[in-house]
Amino acid sequence: MTVRNGQGQQGVGRLRPGGSAVPLSEAYDTALLDLDGVVYAGGEAVPHAVEALGVARAGGMHLAYVTNNALRTPDAVAEHLTELGVPAEAGDVITSAQAVARLIADDVPPGSRVLVIGGEGLRVALRERGLVPVDSAEDEPVAVVQGYGGPEMPWGRFAEASYAVARGLPWYASNTDLTIPGARGIGPGNGAAVEVVRIATGGRVEPKVAGKPLPPMHRETVLRTGARRPLVVGDRLDTDIEGAFNGGVDSLLVFTGVTDAAQLLRAVPEHRPTYVAADLRGLLVGQPEVVAEEDGSFVCGGWRASVSAPSGGELVLEGPAEAAAGAAADPMDAVRALCGAAWSAADAVGGGVPDAGKVLARLGL
């Protein structure tokens, strides 16, 4: 299942991670990078991110930053990235605010008023589409849109959205990420705010959502980047990786944000990335092949993973075998092999998700 040409498989769930004979920064022309939990967390650069992105860019890879966070404008995001040591321009940044603004503009007449529950990024995106942001349900809006407004968002803003939705106004959301990583840990995201409004309005209506993993965000990204062989890079299975799956493009999961190894091993087909790496340094190297053996085990980099029983059971990990020239075995290779064993077992007829507790404790993951 080696992938060397950057062509994803839409609608096909993989049974093991893919391999690449060349560094990913050479195999793909554009990296579509998530921001929170991938490039930075809580405003500070993720370890190794600045250096890895600098090398990838110097080698000719185009870097685009695709975020479900609608709080800030592309200008503000680009300025922040540049301050961190990752040179960027506003045109390199694609946000869910831009995607939802296009979605609304397709549905309402130009110049329409839209009730905004969110930050400046959402307001700027609406104005770019010829729409007029307003603050109250009494301002005669024709629609209401929610986007992440930051941890200081007043509770009254959710009440304002609830009044508008209850009156039957079309309801939009930039994204529905329930959480967002920050410097102090994982906090509530825009999806949690959407749930507040849903509960207050009796759960009778659903918002139109633009952000990852849904098609409007993929459309916005393609239109703005012109990427031909893109690689989605993210930390979330249910947005970044599923979005890549839905768009039929390849993906790289990094473990610097919200997803851990246990969640990856339990991933349903649409949440399984093409590649796995500890952090963004994974862009700069090839990806080892995960080999399926005749006995049902999976081998990667000296590690062998299998399942103790056909219908679920426990994951079993052997190795590392003696590495060539005394090189240290990479625990990420163990994770890759375990993915093969776990995903294949889960997808087998009558199969179940095998228990990974013991092997992950051994790896310290």
Side-chain angles (χ1 to χ4, degrees):
M1 237 170 143
T2 298
V3 179
R4 293 188 177 89
N5 62 0
Q7 301 302 306
Q9 292 179 295
Q10 186 175 27
V12 179
R14 60 181 57 254
L15 297 180
R16 60 185 185 271
S20 176
V22 299
L24 299 183
S25 58
E26 297 177 14
Y28 300 87
D29 68 342
T30 304
L32 305 179
L33 296 132
D34 184 43
L35 287 172
D36 294 293
V38 176
V39 180
Y40 53 62
E44 299 299 322
V46 166
H48 311 295
V50 173
E51 298 82 358
L53 292 176
V55 174
R57 184 189 307 104
M61 189 178 216
H62 176 218
L63 306 180
Y65 304 94
V66 185
T67 177
N68 265 0
N69 190 334
L71 178 61
R72 295 190 293 172
T73 66
D75 282 306
V77 172
E79 181 179 355
H80 182 205
L81 287 168
T82 301
E83 290 173 351
L84 293 177
V86 181
E89 299 179 356
D92 299 323
V93 180
I94 302 94
T95 74
S96 63
Q98 294 170 321
V100 78
R102 188 186 297 270
L103 190 63
I104 298 170
D106 288 344
D107 291 345
V108 305
S112 294
R113 296 183 178 191
V114 179
L115 174 60
V116 175
I117 312 300
E120 186 63 15
L122 199 51
R123 294 174 179 275
V124 169
L126 289 169
R127 293 189 189 105
E128 287 178 347
R129 291 289 155 204
L131 303 172
V132 180
V134 298
D135 293 324
S136 171
E138 308 308 318
D139 291 332
E140 300 182 347
V142 301
V144 56
V145 59
Q146 280 186 267
Y148 183 63
E152 306 305 321
M153 171 72 79
W155 192 255
R157 301 307 298 151
F158 305 137
E160 205 66 39
S162 300
Y163 304 149
V165 172
R167 294 174 186 176
L169 266 66
W171 182 23
Y172 298 82
S174 63
N175 68 299
T176 52
D177 298 35
L178 290 173
T179 61
I180 186 169
R184 297 174 57 196
I186 305 298
N190 191 54
V194 168
E195 286 301 308
V196 170
V197 176
R198 191 199 315 274
I199 292 168
T201 54
R204 292 183 295 273
V205 294
E206 295 287 331
K208 284 188 176 182
V209 184
K212 297 179 286 186
L214 298 173
M217 190 66 169
H218 183 71
R219 177 180 65 155
E220 194 72 24
T221 301
V222 170
L223 288 172
R224 289 180 180 268
T225 65
R228 301 189 61 171
R229 289 181 293 109
L231 176 69
V232 170
V233 184
D235 68 312
R236 301 186 72 106
L237 301 179
D238 60 349
T239 55
D240 304 315
I241 306 308
E242 185 177 342
F245 177 88
N246 291 340
V249 299
D250 292 343
S251 60
L252 168 67
L253 177 78
V254 292
F255 286 114
T256 49
V258 301
T259 299
D260 60 25
Q263 293 168 319
L264 176 63
L265 296 180
R266 296 194 301 268
V268 294
E270 61 268 28
H271 291 173
R272 296 171 185 171
T274 314
Y275 310 110
V276 179
D279 51 56
L280 286 177
R281 291 176 294 180
L283 285 173
L284 309 180
V285 295
Q287 294 286 307
E289 190 83 32
V290 179
V291 178
E293 300 286 359
E294 291 184 1
D295 63 1
S297 64
F298 291 80
V299 174
C300 184
W303 299 90
R304 180 184 297 270
S306 58
V307 180
S308 62
S311 58
E314 289 185 335
L315 284 169
V316 177
L317 183 65
E318 303 172 58
E322 290 298 324
D330 183 355
M332 281 295 105
D333 287 342
V335 172
R336 296 176 182 112
L338 288 166
C339 284
W343 296 348
S344 296
D347 287 6
V349 176
V353 178
D355 183 5
K358 290 181 181 178
V359 293
L360 292 181
R362 171 185 171 185
L363 294 170
L365 299 173

